[in-house]
Amino acid sequence: MDAVIETAWTVPAIKAALDESALVREGEMTLRVLEGADPVLLATMHEYGDLPVYLSVGGAQIVCSVLLWPVAEQADTARFNAFLLKAQRLVPLSNFAITTVGDQDVYELMGELSSKTTLQTILIELRTLAENAIDATDLRETFGTEAAA
């Protein structure tokens, strides 16, 4: 069972801890806190083509997410959404969602953790989510091939 820390993480504390951690490989990611009503950590994952992964902390959980592509770009949205739900096991530890960015709905891949989890688990989540985002793009291509047949 994963150990927990006593005090819940904050976004600035996660950034500081990752900046100092020997667990992060050199050049693996660049971290930046985006200030707003609630700060968000932007982790640019260099080993995944500079993929942006967003991390926020709220209450008892940490949410990590990757924006994928606009829903409007997806042919046969209803069928694709059903396809994603069936393909869920192919992207372990992540969930698909639709979120609104500006005035457009966008597919999102996300994972949740306890706000008292270890730094190592947070890092594993960032890496897993980045890998799953690449796999989600492959799923989209699979759907396109299957739909064209």
Side-chain angles (χ1 to χ4, degrees), residues 10-19 29-35 38-44 52-57 62-65 119 122 126:
T10 64
V11 167
I14 292 171
K15 181 188 183 302
L18 287 171
D19 282 343
M29 65 182 75
T30 302
L31 302 168
R32 184 167 59 113
V33 175
L34 306 175
E35 296 296 343
D38 293 311
V40 172
L41 181 65
L42 169 59
T44 303
V53 178
Y54 300 92
L55 180 149
S56 61
V57 178
I62 296 170
V63 177
C64 298
S65 68
L119 184 65
I122 293 170
L126 290 170

Side-chain angles (χ1 to χ4, degrees), residues 94-117:
S94 298
N95 301 302
F96 288 100
I98 295 175
T99 191
T100 303
V101 178
D103 61 350
Q104 134 175 288
D105 286 344
V106 177
Y107 285 105
E108 178 180 28
L109 194 64
M110 56 195 307
E112 300 87 11
L113 302 165
S114 165
S115 61
K116 293 186 176 182
T117 195

Side-chain angles (χ1 to χ4, degrees), residues 68-81:
L68 297 172
W69 56 84
V71 172
E73 290 180 5
Q74 189 61 55
D76 197 350
T77 310
R79 206 164 132 242
F80 183 71
N81 292 347

Side-chain angles (χ1 to χ4, degrees), residues 115-129:
S115 61
K116 293 186 176 182
T117 195
T118 64
L119 184 65
Q120 181 176 14
T121 301
I122 293 170
L123 184 57
I124 289 168
E125 179 62 30
L126 290 170
R127 290 172 178 156
T128 300
L129 193 61

